[in-house]
Amino acid sequence: RASYYAVYNVKGVETHNLAQRGGIVHNNMPICYIPHTTFISTADDEMVIALESHQAERGIYHAAKDGGTLVYYNTVWQPLSVRLNQAAEVTPGQIKRACDARHINLFEVIDAVLPDSRMQNIAVLAVVNARHLIPDVAEYHYCSAMTDLMAGELLETNLHLFYRISSQCLQ
């Protein structure tokens, strides 16, 4: 949504894969200057953004290109395979080693005072903003998009978090 105000064309399609039963939700969103780009299905993505450690690991192996960027929120939502003891939880160390092996730039996001777990996306967005990971998309683009999507106390709380984390990245 932030790119609506910038110079990029964005299109996205979510695949829910039984998300309501513990499965994953995946959204591939090409962000580019070309209006009719196709979806990327191989490990060619410049940047992967994940809101959970297992998503981050999948992104490293199935989406990110060598030398790309991973931004992820360091939390575990325990996918079904972990709950059934069929797989172990992914650790930050595993993610770091996998990124190092493929020269992927890693930005781990965690906020000890996150007001609501549903705000992890804003925390990640703040890091993307502060590190200028999407060229030509500036802070005011993100804030304008948030203003279009939220109002009142919800908007104020999210903007406060966005500015706080953005400024922490600059220190």
Side-chain angles (χ1 to χ4, degrees), residues 35-67:
H36 301 292
T37 187
T38 58
F39 287 101
I40 301 165
S41 61
T42 60
D44 281 340
D45 293 354
E46 295 281 338
M47 181 169 40
V48 171
I49 298 174
L51 297 178
E52 189 265 349
S53 299
H54 290 88
Q55 291 175 352
E57 182 185 52
R58 280 190 298 277
I60 292 166
Y61 294 114
H62 301 292
K65 73 177 206 170
D66 290 347

Side-chain angles (χ1 to χ4, degrees), residues 17 34 45 48 128 158:
N17 296 335
I34 304 166
D45 293 354
V48 171
V128 171
N158 279 278

Side-chain angles (χ1 to χ4, degrees), residues 1 10 12 15 17-19 28-29 51-52 63 65 79 81 84 90 103 114 130 134 147 149-152 166:
R1 180 76 182 182
V10 177
T15 53
N17 296 335
L18 298 172
N28 187 340
M29 296 182 65
L51 297 178
E52 189 265 349
K65 73 177 206 170
S81 59
L84 295 174
V90 174
H103 308 288
L114 191 66
I134 303 176
T147 301
L149 296 170
M150 297 176 257
S166 291

Side-chain angles (χ1 to χ4, degrees), residues 45-47 64-70 99-105:
D45 293 354
E46 295 281 338
M47 181 169 40
K65 73 177 206 170
D66 290 347
T69 299
L70 170 67
C99 286
D100 288 347
R102 299 200 34 226
H103 308 288
I104 294 172
N105 300 308

Side-chain angles (χ1 to χ4, degrees), residues 1-10 31-33 47 125-145 162:
R1 180 76 182 182
S3 63
Y4 170 79
Y5 302 95
V7 296
Y8 292 104
N9 290 290
V10 177
I31 300 172
C32 62
Y33 295 109
M47 181 169 40
L125 197 63
V127 172
V128 171
N129 166 63
R131 300 294 183 200
H132 306 287
L133 298 178
I134 303 176
D136 300 322
V137 179
E139 185 174 276
Y140 68 90
H141 295 121
Y142 297 106
C143 295
S144 295
F162 180 81

